[in-house]
Amino acid sequence: MLKLERINAAYKDLQVLWDVSIEVNEGELVTLVGPNGAGKTTTLKVISGLLKPTSGSISFQGRSLRKESAHKIVELGISQVPEGGKIFTGMSVLENLELGAFVARARQDKDRTLKWVYEIFPRLEERKNQRAGTLSGGERQMLAIGRALMSKPKLLLLDEPSFGLAPILVDQIFDMITEINRQGVTVLLVEQNVRAALELAHRAYVIENGRIVGQGAGEDLLSFESVRRAYLG
Amino acid sequence: MQKKGSQVSKKIAISITIVLILIATAALPLVVKKDSTINLAILVFLYVTLSSSWNILGGYAGQTNLGHAAFFGLGALTTRLLWLSGRPFILSLLAGACVAVGFALLIGIPAFKLRGVYFSIGTLALAQILYITVGNVFPMITSLPTQALITYQLVPRYYLALVLALLTIGTAYLLVNSRLGLGMMAVREEEDAAESLGVSALQHKLLALSASAFFAGLAGGAFAYYHVGYYPQFPFTPVWTFDAVMIAYIGGTGTIVGPIIGGIFYVVVKELLALKLVELHLIVFGVLFILAVLFLPGGLVEVWSKIQTAFARRARGQEAQAALPRDTGI
Amino acid sequence: MHVMLVQSLVFGILVGALYGLAAVGLSLVFGVTKLLNVAHGELLMFGGYATFWIFTLYGVDPFLALPVTMIFLILIGVIVYGLLFARMVKLSEETKIQNTLLVGFGLSLILQNLALRLWTADDRGVTTAYSGWAFTLLGVRFPIVRVASLGIALAALGALHLFLQKTYTGKAIRATAEDWEAASLMGIDIHRIYLLAFVLGTAMAGIAGALVSVGYSIEPNMGLEWTLIALIVMVLGGLGSIMGTFVGGIVLGVTQALTSCFIGGTYREVVGLLIFLLVLIFRPQGLFGAKER
Ligand SMILES: Nc1ncnc2c1ncn2[C@@H]1O[C@H](COP(=O)(O)OP(=O)(O)O)[C@@H](O)[C@H]1O
Ligand SMILES: [Mg+2]
């Protein structure tokens, strides 16, 4: 479904990604794990079109994304939950969700999708008229995910959804991600919370210093020597 | 060896050029008797002085001051008032520059609390306040008394403007090649980094502002000496600021030659256009200025150095080719 | 004395509404695109001249001509944005704002001299059959034209407010103002939003200019004064709130009126500028450019 081949990417002169190749198949829940500064967020930016790679190819459902702009990529069915959620704090919860359904394809089904999102995150319905800036950390993350779901994505990219949340909330969020995946949305999950992510995922990639250094089934990677040493202690 | 030699010869060439220009400008009134030419030259010198003085703060210290007319205006106002009340001209001129510096120091500390664009619009607002206030306080036109009109001569005005231009350029040159100048440029590039290296941003900005105000004040004084009659408000009009900024940008900000080339270009093109397209020259300059900001951040100076390096590369290419057979011969 | 004071307060409010209208355009553009368009006053002036032309050449009533004036200004906005500002939106924040400032001044110089060529340096105004009409209430005079202008300013601001709050596109504009990166992840084409915001800003300037040409007068040098007015009001009203901007406009209008009353008309502008400087120095970040908490 999504295929990155030998992607190189840079911020100005600083190269950050080196020959990154990642593949995600339809229906899968794939995770990309690695330490802080490894290039996880950058990889997601390349996929969602916020950063154009210097070389390499990237395709979604057989269609090249190299030249597509960020908003077009959303229309094609890729939606990203950015690092920290990046909700629109000055607007209401409902307005945030409406903006999630901005693309024409999603706007037609807005009401039905909204119902679905409220089913997954009942809390959002309770708070729909509140200003998003007044939400708690966990609620913000739920809103960010809900907002991304509003575009009816085929592929959902999540950038460290567990960051800064209390352990109970982390479990909740991860359960919801599993549930979303079970309902047919392909997921690429970026995490530093390696153990939890590997337990959840069908397959996983390990990224270090901008290079993919390991891949395999989630369970297998749990026993992967360097991963054990580095992240699981 | 050869490289060093060519550098020395380049230095000699530059020195000779400068001396020639100095002789030419000094001799001009002796050779040319046409008032219109002298007037044109005075205009060039005034604009070069004004733009160079703006460049000290705007180009080297990186603070886009949009209230430069205030310094020019204060210099003109003070000089004119003192001079016409019977004080010696030179003292009036210096007093004008000092008032401009005094005002600069007065506003400097609060103004430099503002950074970047806020500094720019803040200085613009300040200059506007002075502009309006001066218009209110001195509503009458100021004219030279009959006695002064009878004895009015263009040549001393010419030399005054020339000396001021040279003084400004020379000081700017010495300043930017000193430690203080390096500090100013460090502040321009990265204010916080400069601070962390022990460069006091505020001190360097204040110094640049004072120097900038001093020479703008002198230019204003020359304006007061040169013009027969004008409204005291006129030297405060924002046009003087914009002219200075445009000249610096078209010539090349943050360089010594930029304002000189820009000033000459400005006056010459203005004259040429005035012959054909009256009042259109400002539109042309607006366009040129925008083009310079958008596509040519280095101004005409950069164009010149690009042409030069292109030529140098070609010349070197030919030299290398010419040298080839001999090398293989040995 | 009382009546005179009330009279100047009324005039202050009436002109203040136009200040608010002028500032809303500048503030919208700055808030969304982070471009500070210092040629805003000249765009406003073109709105005034457009009205003046339509009136003198075709005899069309200035209020009825408002839609045409707006369309004219939208066209100018598209050209100016496409040719100049679109190049700069992608620059880093600091360079962007610096370059737009300089380009804006170049542009204002061009527009100012263009106006000088097209319409000479004379003060122009639109004088209709009803221009002199006024009604008197408790001894206070209300010129019909200026009261109508207040109504139109309110209607325009109200319409803009509803557009931004209620429509999908309006929400996209607000989202882009808050965080362009997150907005583009919603599938919003932010470059189209930038253009739209810019053009909405010039349209607002156009309406303001039209109303100025009817209730007051216009001339080629008016641009800088109006840009400064818009900047002052933007600072007073805070960024991102249309109501706040409108109130800021009224505050400035009233302050100017009181200054005229007690100090003298020639210092009207100075007071606004002084307030502006004080606010800039004592609350530099809280005003504009500040991020949402
Ligand atoms: N906007 C940026 N400009 C320059 N360098 C950046 C930028 N964003 C990230 N980087 C650098 O790129 C590298 C990878 O960052 P990132 O992809 O955010 O890592 P991760 O998400 O895995 O923590 C880091 O070294 C970081 O410093
Ligand atoms: Mg990251």
Side-chain angles (χ1 to χ4, degrees), chain A residues 110-127:
Chain A
K110 193 181 74 179
D111 296 335
R112 212 177 324 143
T113 326
L114 192 61
K115 230 187 231 155
W116 175 51
V117 169
Y118 282 157
E119 268 165 31
I120 304 174
F121 303 108
R123 188 70 74 81
L124 294 182
E125 186 165 20
E126 292 163 26
R127 305 234 185 269

Side-chain angles (χ1 to χ4, degrees), chain B residues 181-223:
Chain B
L182 286 180
M184 275 158 46
M185 285 180 258
V187 170
R188 172 185 68 192
E189 295 311 325
E190 190 80 58
E191 187 161 337
D192 296 323
E195 287 269 4
S196 71
L197 290 176
V199 175
S200 160
L202 182 63
Q203 275 174 23
H204 283 80
K205 285 195 219 169
L206 279 176
L207 175 83
L209 176 69
S210 307
S212 180
F214 183 76
F215 292 108
L218 287 180
F223 176 93

Side-chain angles (χ1 to χ4, degrees), chain A residues 41 83 159-160:
Chain A
T41 299
E83 202 166 11
D159 197 346
E160 303 203 26

